[in-house]
């Protein structure tokens, strides 16, 4: 099976712009999670989707949003970009919808905001 | 906020030696997982240990969990240069459906050939 794919892999944006990142989970996986990784804050949970429903959201401002489509593919959007949004954004998918699950991560999208 | 805290932050050993990393966390958990990340890439799942388990093995990996001390350790035996990576523990808090993992800041392991 193909792994989790994320597009684009690298992105450079200017402050104030918005950006959309895409994630395609492993075939058959219906849970998709997003994480932000920065040197200062480490890995932080953004949100999780299952069957097109957001089930949990991390402590991020409303500029960060996401959605999941019926084929389980997911997108996240960041509006009005700030310098501090520069980070590696990781998407992960999981097979099981319950609480004890291992997640399969994509390679990430490296976002640089200038 | 960070749930797990790994110790040490960095570890440098010679090939063939064992590497031990520790993780402490703050709340009650359903399970604890360990992941590996190679130089800014995606994370790779290594092992999951549930709250009612005390020890688990997978190949050269051994994980222990002490829920009374809210701590876990990851032992990599007979390390190889290819084990050089950052290692993270991640916890799923108990008490309802959280559907998220909370990661520590990681231990950077360097295995010298």
């Amino acid at each position: 099976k193909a792994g989790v794919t994320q597009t684009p892999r690298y992105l450079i944006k200017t402050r104030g712009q918005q950006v959309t990142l895409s994630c395609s989970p492993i075939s058959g996986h219906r849970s998709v999670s997003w994480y932000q990784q920065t040197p200062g804050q480490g890995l932080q949970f953004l949100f999780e989707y299952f069957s097109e429903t957001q089930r949990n959201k991390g402590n991020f401002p409303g500029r960060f949003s996401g959605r999941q489509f019926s084929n389980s593919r997911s997108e996240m959007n960041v509006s009005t970009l700030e310098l501090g949004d520069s980070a590696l954004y990781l998407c992960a998918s999981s097979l099981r919808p319950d609480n004890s699950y291992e997640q399969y991560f994509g390679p990430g999208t490296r976002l640089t905001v200038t | 906020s960070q749930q797990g805290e790994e110790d040490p932050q960095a570890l440098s050993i010679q090939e063939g030696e064992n590497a031990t990393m520790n993780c402490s966390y703050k709340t009650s958990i359903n399970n604890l997982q360990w992941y590996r990340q190679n130089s800014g890439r995606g994370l790779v799942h290594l092992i999951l240990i549930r709250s009612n388990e005390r020890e688990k093995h997978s190949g050269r990996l051994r994980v222990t969990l002490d829920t009374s001390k809210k701590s876990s350790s990851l032992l990599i035996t007979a390390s190889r240069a290819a084990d050089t990576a950052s290692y993270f523990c991640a916890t799923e808090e108990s008490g309802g459906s959280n559907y998220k993992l909370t990661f520590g800041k990681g231990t950077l392991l360097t295995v010298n050939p």
Side-chain angles (χ1 to χ4, degrees), chain A residues 58-105:
Chain A
N59 295 324
F60 280 83
R63 300 185 297 107
F64 291 81
S65 63
R67 60 178 175 170
Q68 186 181 35
F69 302 95
S70 58
N71 62 358
S72 294
R73 190 177 68 86
S74 178
E75 289 181 346
M76 66 163 283
N77 183 278
V78 187
S79 62
T80 320
L81 284 165
E82 301 177 359
L83 294 178
D85 298 333
S86 294
L88 180 66
Y89 289 88
L90 294 162
C91 164
S93 74
S94 175
L95 176 63
R96 293 178 292 183
D98 60 19
N99 286 343
S100 292
Y101 55 93
E102 57 197 63
Q103 299 198 35
Y104 295 84
F105 282 80

